[in-house]
Structure formats: C-alpha cells, structure tokens
Amino acid sequence: MELLAEVHPKTKIEKIKKEIQDLSSFDGFNIPDSPLGLPSVKPTSIAALIREKYEHKRIIINQRLLDVNELYVHSLSLTAKAFNLNIAFTKGDKPKIGKEVGYLSSEEAVNIAKGYGVSSGMMISLRKNRSEILARLESNADFYLALHFSGVESIKGLEESFQKIIPYIIVKTEKNKEILSNISQPSFEGSKVRDLLYELESVGIKSVLISSPGDLNYLANFKF
C-alpha cells in the first residue's frame, strides 16, 4: 500500500525542509492549497523542495479553483509536468481575501491538466449521497481524494473505483485533539490507524493519505 503524508505549508523554509525530512519514510506527499481560504506558501514551492531531495516519490499538489482561471491551470499543468507532480483540484473554501473567480469546475481543470500528460484528480465527499458519489467517480480523473472518510463502511459499494480512491485519514492524538475538535471531518485514534490500514489493504485500496494536524511527531514516527 502506498502511504502519503500531508505536508502543512509553513512560512519558514527551514521548517518546511525539516518536515520533509521527518516524513521521509512515506512513499509520497500531499500539499494543501491555502487551507480555509487563508494565504499560505504555495504548494508548488514546497513540491520543488521535495522533488530536489526525492526524485521518485509521489507528490500531489492541491489546487483551489475559486481563485484561478484557465491560464493559471495551463501554467500549473506545465509546472507539474516539469517537476513530475500530480494535481488534485478542488473548489476550496471561500477566499478570506479578495474576490472569487470560481467558474472552472474540477472536471474542466482535470481535462486541461491531462492534456499536458499530468496525472490529475479531484475530491469526493463521502458525506454526499451514493448516486452523487458514483456520478463523480465516472469523471475523467486519475484519482480521487476521499474526504469525510469514517471507515471501510463509508466506501462500501465503490469497489470498482478502489484503484483510484485515496482515503483521507485524519489522526487524532493527545497533542492535537483540541485542534481537531474544530474540524468537521472524522478522525481516528492514533493507536487504531495500523489496523485500519490493514483493513483497507485487504479490501483493495492501493493508496491512503494520512494527516495529523498539529502533531508532526506522530507521522514522523509512524511505521506500517
């Protein structure tokens, strides 16, 4: 099973480099784009640091579509091609600064990026009804980051797409439990994550994304 770690944007380059090093045991990385619509270091800059150090690890950069137009997506696709990056497109939260652009759909952005030969995906929310999820899975995307993942039961009935679905697993620890109390997504006790991964692997899931907001030490010491 491919294990991806979420790298949280930081403003100091040395802290970013340290986080990359601390997460070196993972098979790859996912980098969010302006979480909650707040300004942050761009995912492409962090991806470039990772690619300089690790030639073959998978790197997924997230791209908010509320903020950009086609020209940006074309330029981002060229960048992703040059640095061997994947792109996961998302509508994103409303920007806290400035006005929305927001006319591009994830499907349209995926098709632009795939035109450059870039592996491209989008988000699926497992809170949606099953017919909406199945319709989303019929798109042209190469992969799907599955948000609001609450366990194997939440992906039951989606077996035909298990090769493409990447469950987003949020880990709760003693250190970050207060942070997670303000997040609407399900979370899993750190001690139960390995068993969850074995269960996902047994049903055919090929990749997972693991995040432990506010507790890098958990991910740095994680073994599977």
Side-chain angles (χ1 to χ4, degrees):
M1 175 181 281
E2 178 184 63
L3 302 184
L4 306 174
E6 186 167 68
V7 176
H8 295 276
K10 293 177 171 56
T11 55
K12 294 184 178 180
I13 191 169
E14 291 307 318
K15 287 189 175 181
I16 295 172
K17 287 182 176 180
K18 182 181 184 304
E19 182 160 339
I20 294 168
Q21 179 60 44
D22 287 343
L23 300 176
S24 61
S25 64
F26 282 81
D27 301 307
F29 305 91
N30 179 80
I31 310 164
D33 178 29
S34 298
L36 304 178
L38 294 168
S40 71
V41 174
K42 297 303 293 180
T44 47
S45 61
I46 298 173
L49 290 175
I50 296 172
R51 184 58 74 222
E52 184 177 359
K53 190 173 180 64
Y54 303 111
E55 183 178 355
H56 300 297
K57 285 184 185 285
R58 185 179 187 183
I59 304 172
I60 302 174
I61 54 172
N62 294 1
Q63 177 57 54
R64 293 163 43 87
L65 292 172
L66 278 181
D67 310 325
V68 301
N69 61 14
E70 290 105 321
L71 174 61
Y72 187 92
V73 174
H74 280 272
S75 296
L76 181 67
S77 300
L78 286 168
T79 304
K81 182 71 172 177
F83 285 88
N84 187 25
L85 312 176
N86 298 173
I87 309 174
F89 291 101
T90 178
K91 181 179 179 181
D93 298 305
K94 289 187 177 183
K96 297 296 191 290
I97 298 172
K99 298 179 180 179
E100 296 177 23
V101 180
Y103 62 86
L104 269 179
S105 69
S106 293
E107 289 85 355
E108 290 170 325
V110 163
N111 286 334
I112 290 171
K114 284 173 69 72
Y116 289 91
V118 174
S119 179
S120 306
M122 60 180 75
M123 313 296 172
I124 54 170
S125 171
L126 297 174
R127 290 193 304 186
K128 301 281 188 181
N129 66 54
R130 197 46 51 111
S131 62
E132 289 180 279
I133 294 172
L134 289 170
R136 185 80 154 173
L137 291 172
E138 290 178 357
S139 77
N140 195 33
D142 295 308
F143 61 90
Y144 301 87
L145 298 183
L147 309 180
H148 302 286
F149 172 75
S150 58
V152 172
E153 279 294 314
S154 65
I155 55 172
K156 189 175 181 179
L158 307 178
E159 287 81 3
E160 289 187 7
S161 299
F162 276 4
Q163 296 280 339
K164 295 183 175 183
I165 292 175
I166 304 176
Y168 180 46
I169 298 170
I170 299 177
V171 182
K172 180 169 67 175
T173 68
E174 194 63 31
K175 185 176 180 180
N176 71 7
K177 62 183 181 182
E178 289 189 14
I179 295 173
L180 295 187
S181 67
N182 298 313
I183 296 176
S184 62
Q185 298 231 33
S187 59
F188 299 86
E189 296 289 344
S191 60
K192 298 180 180 179
V193 172
R194 286 187 188 83
D195 288 341
L196 175 63
L197 295 184
Y198 284 122
E199 188 177 8
L200 286 169
E201 190 173 45
S202 72
V203 299
I205 290 294
K206 302 300 182 183
S207 300
V208 296
L209 169 58
I210 306 177
S211 176
S212 184
D215 190 355
L216 176 63
N217 190 57
Y218 175 86
L219 289 183
N221 293 296
F222 183 78
K223 304 293 182 188
F224 177 53

